[in-house]
Amino acid sequence: MKITLNWLKQYVELDWTPEEMTERLTMLGLEVEGVVKLGGAFEGVVVAQVITRDRHPNADKLSVCRVNDGKGERQIVCGAQNFQPGDKVPLILPGASLPPKPGDKEPFTIKVGKIRGVESHGMMCAAEELGLDPEALGLKKEDGLLILKPDAIVGQAFGEYLGRGGSDVVFDLEVTPNRPDLNSVIGIAREVAAITGHPLQLPPLVSSDAGEGDTAADLVSVQLDAADLGPRYTARVIRGVKIGPSPDWLRNTLEKVGLRSINNVVDVTNFVMLETGQPLHAFDYHLVAKGANGRPTVIVRRASDGESFVTLDGKQHTLGSEHLLIADSEKGIALAGVMGGRNTEINDRTVDVLLESAYFSPTNIRRTSKTLGIRTDSSYRFERGADVGMTDWASRRAAHLIQETAGGRLAKGAVDAYPAPTLPKQITLRHAKVSELLGVTLTPDQIEVSLGSLGFRVAQRKPRAVDDATPPEPVTFTVPSYRVDMKREVDLIEEVARLYGVDRIPSTPPRHAKGSHPFDDRYDELMQVRRWLTGLGLNEAQGQTLVSKSTIRGLDPAMVVGLANPLSSDMDALRPSLLPGLMDILRHNLRHRNGDVALFEIGRVFRREGGSVREGRSLAIALTGARQPAFWAGAERDAKLELSDLKGLIEEFFEHAGLRGVGFVRREEPSDLFVESATVAIGGKLALGQLGWVHAQVAKSYDVRDAVLLAEFDLDQILTRRNAGRAFKPLPAFPSARRDVAMVVSESVTHEAVLQAVRQAKAGDLEAVELFDVFRGGSVPDGQKSVAYAFTYRGADRTLTDAEVTASHGKVVEQLKKQVGATLRE
Amino acid sequence: MAALLDEIEPLKQSALGALQSAADLPALEQAKGAFLGAEGQFTALMKRLGTLAKEERPAAGKAINAAKVEIEAALAACREALELRASAPKVPTDFTAPGRRRSLGHLHPLTQVTDDIVRAFRRLGFAVADGPEIEDEVHCFDALNTPKDHPARDAQDTFYVGRGEPAGAAASTGAVGGTLLRTHTSSVQIRVMEKMPPPIRIIVPGRVYRRDNADATHNPTFHQVEGLYVDRGVTVGDLKGTVEFVFRELMGSDTRIRFRPHYFSYTEPSFEIDFSNALVKKLGKDWLEIAGCGMVHPQVFENVGYDPEVWSGWAFGFGIERIAMIRYGINDIRLFYENDVRFLRQF
């Protein structure tokens, strides 16, 4: 909503600077989003009166004058001859500029200076100097100064004198959707009046029964066929108007707030809409068809299905019964509350005007505006809720202005179809509740004065004895019809808070209850996991939740949760896994030449399972590029990340998380995503996730060249199964003995198989087994590998003898030979 | 006799000189051999002890021994010094050259800001709560007093979840209509109040969704934090006190906070919160809008079965990205979701 300061001042006295105004309105809840200062025409030029005129001591053709500029007297040296004391003339003050003359580029700025030895404090102007044609202003054309009419007001801004408006300030206000009454200059003036205490000055309008000759009812009928959607319709007729350009004040006002001037009658309807918040429409009276009673009849009805209608802007619309139409007996003439029809619009030949002021149901206007894709200043106001009590008032205001700007005669009275008037709303307030909610003590008087200044009238008070000392409550207020947002007690309390000023409510330090929620601990666990993973050298990523269905691999499409109204096919599903998102992130990084990426993400994933959608928390890891940060020496400096790096990272993480019994099982066949991968489960049953090495082709499709390693786990499961408990185990008191075994086994023998064999050997005092070398090629036959293990033996209560260690170790070696077909290397 | 005694001191001096002038360990060993070795000069002197008269031997032996102890001590000292020199690096270390790094990962800036927010609230006794991102209209809109035809419910602004792919179990469930991605964390207010009796003191960080095309200030996915406090006798003053505390914790102690009346369907009265500090001034502004808040609307309490005559409370919410952008001077929200490692490493 845009308003100007000068416009607002017509309804309420105020002396705020634009800055103060911004602050005050903002703190009232009317946020000022923009302020534009308009210089106005003829800035620095005022109407002045010549008091004396004397000859210049040093020049025959010049005179030295004393001139009243409205604030005081100035000495002006002047070269013109056509004036005498008492004449009123335009005076430009020092510092102001005249428009550049033809041929000049720079405007001419007036300074205090000496002319032939005498100081001059400004310049009296000729018409040409101001770029004006005196005759167009109704003044005499003559050589020398522009002599103004004797009734000109000394000191008035010259632009204002010309009716071109002086400087002004345009405010762009953000009106919250609950306050449609503030989409009007009067509505804003009412708020200003409430906080300044100055009275609201309403503009002139015709009385309800003003007019002459025929009554409105003689000239037009109104028929409400859909009173649920259009409960009130007021019609007035003004005959004999002269359609033409609007007067300057009207055109200027509209243009300052961004509306285009069309003609005097249409401009008045727009002006009154901005002034009062009530949208109006003017029809060419003679283009509205006569009904059975011989009078033009306005019918407010639902459109028929498939009914075609052309709006003012020339666009054709196909309507349905959900649209409300203003019609005559033959055709639609306006799309109710949204836009008029082309067939009845005001045009150059219009003589008689039918003026509509009506109330329409907000919901219906919103739907119409949305389904037809038309948004107008009118639909904007109706869909937020117009003031049903304002309908006739606005019509009377418009009738006054149409007569003033376009002439014509008003037919007597109005047709005001309003069969079921809305009763004023009443709300009861307990004074104590105000203080209770706001945390500041207000007296009943303060509260009632605040509400009274906003138009809430006390309707009823609980009767009580004269000597009753209890607070005078509750009290019932009548809500003014323009306050459609008022529903219950707390709404009144908010009004009190607004006028009192939130900044005046003292802050109280936090007190009272301590909160609790089951998620509170989970939050800490999630942060802990994040810190572990960053400790492992991974950066945290936060990817998009919305992904493209086309990037989802290896999942039954029925499990994908799609969007019903995606913005694009790039984001048409909720991620069922974090992996596609991480792949996108890898691609982004590689395109920006960040070839070494180690990331994790913790986020929600969504799957349709058994008819419902499961929202789970997932943890994913993505690695590619160099294993270590760059360094300038060393054999391993160029090492790239490989599957073992990923697995090591996961092992470390699981160990911190206290997960036990985690097994990794290799997938025999490549999957859609991985060329080599494994599933991870606890106890061989409870699935935790997977890890793998991405197919070269998939990687290539993401522009990745190095090996890409990915893992993803069900984080909810991990956190549920984590074991945060820690118990101290005494540090070993006796020395250990180490025995190494190097053996050749078949490729099919896994580390896990070796461990199983070792466990089966049930060797006493075996403390630890460690794989320390794997070797292929050389003397080792194809299909086999050489593996080397270190075995640590330690007694809990004594130092083991060599013989004891040898005996235990012998069992292990035997079992390895037997169970995994190990051939010992010497 | 006198001749032998007189020889001890010069020989000792020459041995000490030879040891001390040895430039490295082999030279020292050579010097040692030249005096104390089997063929060494000092060994030869000791051998000559036997040629002395019996009564002369103790004094001479004592003198020789003293000299020997002195030489051996010097030898040990020289050896230690030379060993120390030998163990030092052959070339000086360039301490300006980059070291061999071990990388420590970085938490995402949004995680860091979220955690700071959570920490500030927890100091005031708030617990962290959570709720689903796929919501229904009841929790996201109806229970929050959002009018039925409010634009926020439009398919224009809110993502609705599809009814599932054709066939299969999903289709048979039917009543998926009105399933949407939550547009604000306020839905969790309702979920928590439905489950828990008052008093309530929670904070809810989480992802929310709006149907906006991505640009410098929009992303279809972003994060919010919601705070909710319900108790007996909660006032606007309490709301102000908590908000001021939290924002000073977050944005610095020079932060000033301003409340402006505003409108939200689920609070009454409602306010928008502006803040100001050195950062804001640097942006050439007096105030920056940062959050919305208000006293929980009695209708909302009624919707979850709380008696608004007994309980009052406040709620407030704000965008985490916005805080992070202001705090770090980030000018494009998309950077958070691109996860460029050069970006992530800065935080």
Side-chain angles (χ1 to χ4, degrees):
Chain A
M1 172 76 193
K2 280 186 180 169
I3 59 162
T4 85
L5 187 56
N6 289 347
W7 195 359
L8 185 63
K9 280 180 175 170
Q10 293 173 22
Y11 312 98
V12 63
E13 199 184 315
L14 80 140
D15 53 5
W16 295 334
T17 63
E19 290 71 28
E20 277 172 329
M21 171 113 163
T22 301
E23 169 76 13
R24 298 296 292 267
L25 292 183
T26 298
M27 294 312 286
L28 258 181
L30 259 166
E31 194 181 351
V32 176
E33 294 193 314
V35 179
V36 178
K37 292 183 186 173
L38 301 175
F42 307 110
E43 206 178 353
V45 183
V46 298
V47 174
Q49 186 169 31
V50 180
I51 301 165
T52 61
R53 176 183 173 185
D54 297 306
R55 275 190 51 189
H56 193 290
N58 308 323
D60 289 349
K61 288 189 175 169
L62 299 179
S63 49
V64 178
C65 308
R66 298 211 65 79
V67 173
N68 177 7
D69 65 4
K71 285 185 181 149
E73 284 185 18
R74 300 173 168 268
Q75 175 171 290
I76 308 284
V77 176
C78 182
Q81 306 298 330
N82 67 326
F83 69 100
Q84 51 200 334
D87 279 348
K88 292 176 181 172
V89 294
L91 169 72
I92 181 160
L93 302 172
S97 302
L98 285 172
K101 288 187 191 140
D104 286 359
K105 276 184 189 157
E106 295 289 314
F108 176 58
T109 302
I110 304 297
K111 294 181 194 117
V112 176
K114 281 184 179 171
I115 300 176
R116 292 281 186 105
V118 178
E119 268 193 12
S120 183
H121 294 259
M123 183 178 116
M124 296 189 282
C125 304
E128 312 80 71
E129 285 167 329
L130 295 167
L132 294 169
D133 173 8
E135 281 170 348
L137 303 172
L139 298 171
K140 235 169 66 192
K141 185 165 187 163
E142 52 187 318
D143 279 347
L145 301 182
L146 177 67
I147 310 294
L148 306 176
K149 287 181 182 161
D151 63 356
I153 301 160
V154 173
Q156 190 180 26
F158 184 63
E160 229 169 276
Y161 165 79
L162 291 179
R164 298 201 183 174
S167 62
D168 203 348
V169 187
V170 180
F171 293 91
D172 192 356
L173 306 174
E174 189 205 336
V175 175
T176 53
N178 62 324
R179 292 295 304 273
D181 61 303
L182 297 182
N183 286 311
S184 68
V185 183
I186 290 179
I188 292 160
R190 195 183 286 124
E191 295 269 309
V192 172
I195 49 171
T196 57
H198 296 310
L200 181 67
Q201 295 151 6
L202 293 173
L205 65 166
V206 302
S207 62
S208 6
D209 60 350
E212 48 189 300
D214 297 331
T215 63
D218 293 334
L219 299 172
V220 63
S221 302
V222 174
Q223 183 184 324
L224 302 184
D225 284 357
D228 54 332
L229 305 184
R232 186 176 190 185
Y233 195 101
T234 308
R236 274 191 167 75
V237 178
I238 301 117
R239 289 182 293 177
V241 301
K242 187 172 183 302
I243 303 296
S246 289
D248 287 345
W249 69 263
L250 179 53
R251 199 188 62 241
N252 286 340
T253 305
L254 292 179
E255 284 173 354
K256 278 186 209 164
V257 297
L259 260 65
R260 197 164 52 90
S261 172
I262 296 166
N263 59 47
N264 43 12
V265 171
V266 173
D267 285 359
V268 165
T269 59
N270 282 332
F271 178 86
V272 174
M273 171 181 70
L274 298 176
E275 185 183 48
T276 65
Q278 169 66 47
L280 302 169
H281 186 64
F283 299 97
D284 183 320
Y285 176 76
H286 293 289
L287 298 177
V288 180
K290 290 189 169 66
N293 57 14
R295 284 192 293 271
T297 302
V298 173
I299 305 164
V300 183
R301 62 164 169 91
R302 288 171 181 274
S304 4
D305 278 322
E307 187 167 357
S308 173
F309 183 70
V310 180
T311 41
L312 275 178
D313 54 4
K315 291 199 177 112
Q316 178 155 350
H317 304 277
T318 304
L319 309 179
S321 62
E322 72 276 20
H323 300 126
L324 188 65
L325 199 61
I326 310 299
D328 58 22
S329 54
E330 298 169 355
K331 60 188 183 293
I333 57 173
L335 195 53
V338 179
M339 196 183 273
R342 168 153 270 194
N343 53 16
T344 46
E345 71 177 307
I346 299 292
N347 56 72
D348 295 347
R349 293 184 307 277
T350 300
V351 178
D352 297 344
V353 171
L354 170 62
L355 180 67
E356 164 195 297
S357 180
Y359 177 84
F360 303 115
S361 141
T363 315
N364 180 257
I365 300 297
R366 183 174 309 128
R367 293 216 183 108
T368 301
S369 160
K370 211 170 93 186
T371 54
L372 299 180
I374 321 175
R375 278 178 59 84
T376 60
D377 286 325
S378 168
S379 70
Y380 176 83
R381 284 172 174 77
F382 278 123
E383 71 180 37
R384 278 165 172 72
D387 173 7
V388 72
M390 167 71 77
T391 315
D392 185 55
W393 198 92
S395 168
R396 285 156 55 198
R397 169 67 173 150
H400 170 85
L401 287 175
I402 288 175
Q403 286 179 289
E404 188 182 289
T405 59
R409 285 160 292 113
L410 175 66
K412 198 169 169 55
V415 177
D416 188 1
Y418 190 22
T422 310
L423 290 176
K425 234 180 291 174
Q426 297 201 324
I427 301 177
T428 299
L429 176 75
R430 293 161 293 175
H431 293 111
K433 268 282 169 190
V434 178
S435 310
E436 215 176 289
L437 194 68
L438 299 185
V440 64
T441 308
L442 296 175
T443 66
D445 265 2
Q446 278 177 298
I447 292 168
E448 287 177 24
V449 166
S450 278
L451 291 172
S453 71
L454 287 168
F456 296 89
R457 301 274 164 259
V458 175
Q460 210 184 319
R461 210 178 271 285
K462 191 174 89 175
R464 58 193 187 118
V466 179
D467 58 352
D468 188 349
T470 58
E473 66 164 15
V475 55
T476 301
F477 290 88
T478 302
V479 177
S481 61
Y482 48 82
R483 290 305 300 269
V484 296
D485 56 315
M486 288 288 140
K487 294 192 175 71
R488 55 196 291 173
E489 185 179 39
V490 69
D491 297 318
L492 290 176
I493 299 177
E494 176 176 53
E495 293 306 290
V496 176
R498 249 173 11 97
L499 284 202
Y500 181 76
V502 206
D503 45 337
R504 289 172 61 200
I505 299 175
S507 310
T508 24
R511 60 201 175 105
H512 296 312
K514 186 180 179 311
S516 71
H517 193 273
F519 181 74
D520 201 47
D521 293 335
R522 183 50 60 95
Y523 174 84
D524 288 332
E525 290 171 355
L526 290 169
M527 282 308 296
Q528 180 67 70
V529 167
R530 289 191 173 95
R531 291 198 191 93
W532 284 333
L533 294 168
T534 55
L536 289 170
L538 302 178
N539 288 309
E540 188 190 14
Q542 292 239 21
Q544 302 279 8
T545 305
L546 302 178
V547 298
S548 170
K549 278 180 190 161
S550 66
T551 61
I552 298 169
R553 286 163 208 272
L555 185 69
D556 176 2
M559 293 178 74
V560 175
V561 183
L563 287 179
N565 58 340
L567 273 165
S568 69
S569 61
D570 287 350
M571 292 188 162
D572 57 0
L574 290 168
R575 56 185 180 190
S577 154
L578 300 178
L579 297 181
L582 282 181
M583 287 299 287
D584 280 335
I585 292 169
L586 288 186
R587 167 163 49 195
H588 170 91
N589 275 291
L590 290 158
R591 283 199 180 152
H592 291 83
R593 297 178 182 275
N594 311 321
D596 307 324
V597 187
L599 293 173
F600 76 94
E601 179 171 4
I602 287 175
R604 296 206 198 190
V605 293
F606 305 81
R607 285 175 194 221
R608 217 174 267 289
E609 282 172 11
S612 61
V613 175
R614 194 174 95 82
E615 259 181 55
R617 218 173 245 104
S618 187
L619 159 66
I621 297 171
L623 304 175
T624 188
R627 174 182 294 162
Q628 287 142 359
F631 193 61
W632 36 267
E636 291 247 301
R637 64 176 138 165
D638 293 326
K640 299 284 186 186
L641 287 158
E642 54 185 43
L643 262 176
S644 304
D645 293 296
L646 178 59
K647 178 155 189 273
L649 222 142
I650 292 166
E651 285 167 349
E652 186 75 14
F653 166 60
F654 283 173
E655 197 175 303
H656 275 276
L659 284 191
R660 291 177 194 151
V662 179
F664 294 74
V665 179
R666 178 177 181 271
R667 285 201 185 98
E668 292 302 324
E669 298 298 327
S671 71
D672 288 347
L673 181 60
F674 296 121
V675 61
E676 182 78 5
S677 63
T679 55
V680 184
I682 293 182
K685 281 198 282 287
L686 183 74
L688 276 189
Q690 59 171 343
L691 75 160
W693 176 3
V694 173
H695 256 290
Q697 272 156 323
V698 176
K700 220 170 130 191
S701 76
Y702 281 92
D703 307 331
V704 188
R705 281 170 298 275
D706 287 331
V708 176
L709 309 157
L710 297 178
E712 184 168 33
F713 300 102
D714 180 338
L715 189 54
D716 294 322
Q717 202 66 262
I718 289 176
L719 294 179
T720 307
R721 298 300 297 248
R722 72 180 287 225
N723 193 333
R726 296 282 185 268
F728 174 70
K729 214 163 68 185
L731 303 180
F734 300 95
S736 62
R738 170 174 164 157
R739 293 282 193 279
D740 290 353
V741 172
M743 58 192 179
V744 172
V745 292
S746 156
E747 280 285 5
S748 64
V749 174
T750 62
H751 173 68
E752 181 58 33
V754 171
L755 293 186
Q756 250 176 38
V758 171
R759 281 193 289 270
Q760 301 248 313
K762 294 195 167 67
D765 299 317
L766 176 59
E767 184 183 67
V769 186
E770 188 190 349
L771 174 64
F772 69 88
D773 188 50
V774 179
F775 173 74
R776 294 180 175 85
S779 61
V780 180
D782 274 357
Q784 301 203 316
K785 59 186 173 185
S786 163
V787 293
Y789 284 87
F791 295 85
T792 306
Y793 298 89
R794 192 196 304 269
D797 51 0
R798 71 213 143 90
T799 303
L800 299 178
T801 63
D802 196 49
E804 285 171 322
V805 173
T806 304
S808 280
H809 190 60
K811 284 190 191 169
V812 171
V813 172
E814 280 316 303
Q815 191 69 26
L816 286 172
K817 285 179 181 163
K818 201 166 79 189
Q819 197 165 326
V820 300
T823 311
L824 258 53
R825 285 160 65 94
E826 299 309 329
Chain B
M1 145 81 199
L4 192 136
L5 272 177
D6 290 344
E7 282 175 54
I8 293 172
E9 185 58 26
L11 192 58
K12 184 185 90 182
Q13 288 305 334
S14 106
L16 290 176
L19 290 175
Q20 261 142 27
S21 62
D24 51 22
L25 285 169
L28 185 71
E29 290 310 313
Q30 207 178 347
K32 176 194 165 194
F35 291 93
L36 300 179
E39 305 299 321
Q41 296 179 49
F42 208 80
T43 315
L45 198 67
M46 285 166 75
K47 281 180 186 158
R48 278 169 55 203
L49 207 56
T51 65
L52 291 184
K54 202 173 178 182
E55 61 279 12
E56 288 172 337
R57 280 184 210 164
K62 206 175 166 189
I64 287 177
N65 261 331
K68 193 183 172 194
V69 164
E70 205 175 329
I71 291 169
E72 279 175 343
L75 173 67
C78 287
R79 185 177 282 138
E80 199 175 321
L82 286 175
E83 272 173 358
L84 194 67
R85 202 188 300 164
S87 73
K90 299 287 168 284
V91 287
T93 303
D94 177 359
F95 281 98
T96 66
R100 186 181 273 115
R101 299 278 285 257
R102 298 201 173 199
S103 43
L104 190 59
H106 297 250
L107 287 176
H108 196 280
L110 292 177
T111 302
Q112 297 190 34
V113 172
T114 304
D115 201 44
D116 289 345
I117 295 167
V118 167
R119 201 176 310 120
F121 275 101
R122 279 183 161 174
R123 290 184 60 187
L124 305 180
F126 281 76
V128 187
D130 187 37
E133 290 174 15
I134 296 185
E135 263 298 357
D136 50 40
E137 291 205 50
V138 172
H139 291 89
C140 201
F141 297 127
D142 297 341
L144 288 164
N145 203 25
T146 313
K148 273 285 175 212
D149 51 3
H150 193 277
R153 297 178 186 242
D154 275 7
Q156 196 68 31
D157 302 324
T158 299
F159 284 115
Y160 283 83
V161 173
R163 282 158 193 278
E165 300 303 318
S172 65
T173 58
V176 205
T179 305
L180 47 81
L181 295 183
R182 66 179 179 195
T183 55
H184 48 194
T185 41
S186 309
S187 53
V188 184
Q189 283 184 29
I190 304 298
R191 295 227 167 243
V192 170
M193 289 194 284
E194 279 175 346
K195 280 225 173 97
M196 299 170 69
I200 299 280
R201 205 177 188 109
I202 53 159
I203 173 173
V204 188
R207 277 194 176 198
V208 299
Y209 303 86
R210 304 239 173 116
R211 208 165 163 278
D212 294 319
N213 279 303
D215 61 26
T217 53
H218 296 89
N219 193 61
T221 303
F222 60 101
H223 294 77
Q224 280 189 341
V225 174
E226 188 84 6
L228 173 69
Y229 173 41
V230 180
D231 206 338
R232 288 173 209 270
V234 180
T235 68
V236 172
D238 294 327
L239 165 59
K240 289 180 70 177
T242 299
V243 167
E244 284 165 8
F245 173 83
V246 168
F247 279 106
R248 289 204 180 108
E249 288 276 296
L250 278 180
M251 310 304 271
S253 53
D254 66 331
T255 302
R256 289 189 304 136
I257 299 288
R258 172 173 95 163
F259 291 73
R260 275 185 290 110
H262 200 72
Y263 168 70
F264 303 107
S265 64
Y266 39 100
T267 48
E268 185 83 17
S270 304
F271 310 102
E272 274 192 333
I273 303 169
D274 297 337
F275 86 103
S276 180
N277 64 11
L279 271 176
V280 176
K281 294 271 186 265
K282 235 197 232 163
L283 295 171
K285 303 204 168 160
D286 286 333
W287 296 101
L288 266 190
E289 183 186 317
I290 197 81
C293 65
M295 303 303 290
V296 179
H297 198 291
Q299 185 64 53
V300 172
F301 279 148
E302 285 163 11
N303 293 345
V304 297
Y306 285 13
D307 182 353
E309 286 300 312
V310 177
W311 302 102
S312 58
W314 54 252
F316 83 90
F318 53 89
I320 297 177
E321 277 83 352
R322 189 166 164 76
I323 304 269
M325 288 170 88
I326 293 168
R327 179 191 270 192
Y328 300 121
I330 295 168
N331 53 10
D332 192 328
I333 196 172
R334 289 168 292 195
L335 284 164
F336 291 117
Y337 296 93
E338 282 171 358
N339 296 288
D340 192 306
V341 294
R342 295 164 303 177
F343 173 80
L344 297 176
R345 281 196 196 117
Q346 295 183 31
F347 304 100

